[in-house]
């Protein structure tokens, strides 16, 4: 019984590994001179499930270094995040830019 179970698990594992992993995409925020810092923190909390402390760290990294990564997602999820963040920023008349890039 145990041997049969192990054999089935091995077969299942083998099948899983033969399925290629979907490509993943990094989502970034870009710095600008106009979007308020508090707004960027709200974006990171609302769309990237960060707590206030982490969101503040990422916002400051973007502010100082020009860009910062918000997360890694499958293509459709990354596209939706970018669209929603940009739409939310435009509703509030902020020029905040958000982009995605395929991981290596
Ligand atoms: N540089 C902006 C300011 O000084 C803050 C900012 C941070 C804007 C991150 C965009 O992605 C950004 N108000």
């Amino acid at each position: 019984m145990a041997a049969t179970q192990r054999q089935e698990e091995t077969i299942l594992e083998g099948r899983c590994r033969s399925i290629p992993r979907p490509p993943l995409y990094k989502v970034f925020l870009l710095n600008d001179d106009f979007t308020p810092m508090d707004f960027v923190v709200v974006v990171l909390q609302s769309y990237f499930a960060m707590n206030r402390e982490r969101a503040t760290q990422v916002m400051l990294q973007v502010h100082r270094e020009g860009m910062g990564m918000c997360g890694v997602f499958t293509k459709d999820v990354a596209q939706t995040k970018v669209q929603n963040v940009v739409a939310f920023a435009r509703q509030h008349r902020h020029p905040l830019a958000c982009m995605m890039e395929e991981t290596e």
Side-chain angles (χ1 to χ4, degrees), residues 29-37 40 59-60 62-63 96-97:
L29 283 185
L30 306 185
N31 190 35
D32 65 73
D33 292 337
F34 304 103
T35 305
M37 290 183 172
V40 178
M59 181 280 294
L60 286 173
V62 177
H63 176 69
L96 182 64

Side-chain angles (χ1 to χ4, degrees), residues 37-53:
M37 290 183 172
D38 285 354
F39 183 83
V40 178
V41 171
V42 168
V43 165
L44 290 165
Q45 289 180 284
S46 308
Y47 293 95
F48 299 99
M50 294 184 197
N51 63 31
R52 193 172 168 77
E53 192 184 349

Side-chain angles (χ1 to χ4, degrees), residues 19-86:
I19 298 170
R21 291 181 204 281
L24 293 175
Y25 291 77
K26 295 178 186 173
V27 173
F28 297 94
L29 283 185
L30 306 185
N31 190 35
D32 65 73
D33 292 337
F34 304 103
T35 305
M37 290 183 172
D38 285 354
F39 183 83
V40 178
V41 171
V42 168
V43 165
L44 290 165
Q45 289 180 284
S46 308
Y47 293 95
F48 299 99
M50 294 184 197
N51 63 31
R52 193 172 168 77
E53 192 184 349
R54 178 71 189 138
T56 302
Q57 284 174 356
V58 173
M59 181 280 294
L60 286 173
Q61 188 198 350
V62 177
H63 176 69
R64 290 176 185 139
E65 297 173 23
M67 66 191 295
M69 203 187 57
C70 310
V72 178
F73 307 96
T74 54
K75 188 174 192 177
D76 55 340
V77 174
Q79 282 172 334
T80 303
K81 300 262 181 212
V82 170
Q83 281 171 7
N84 289 346
V85 166
V86 171

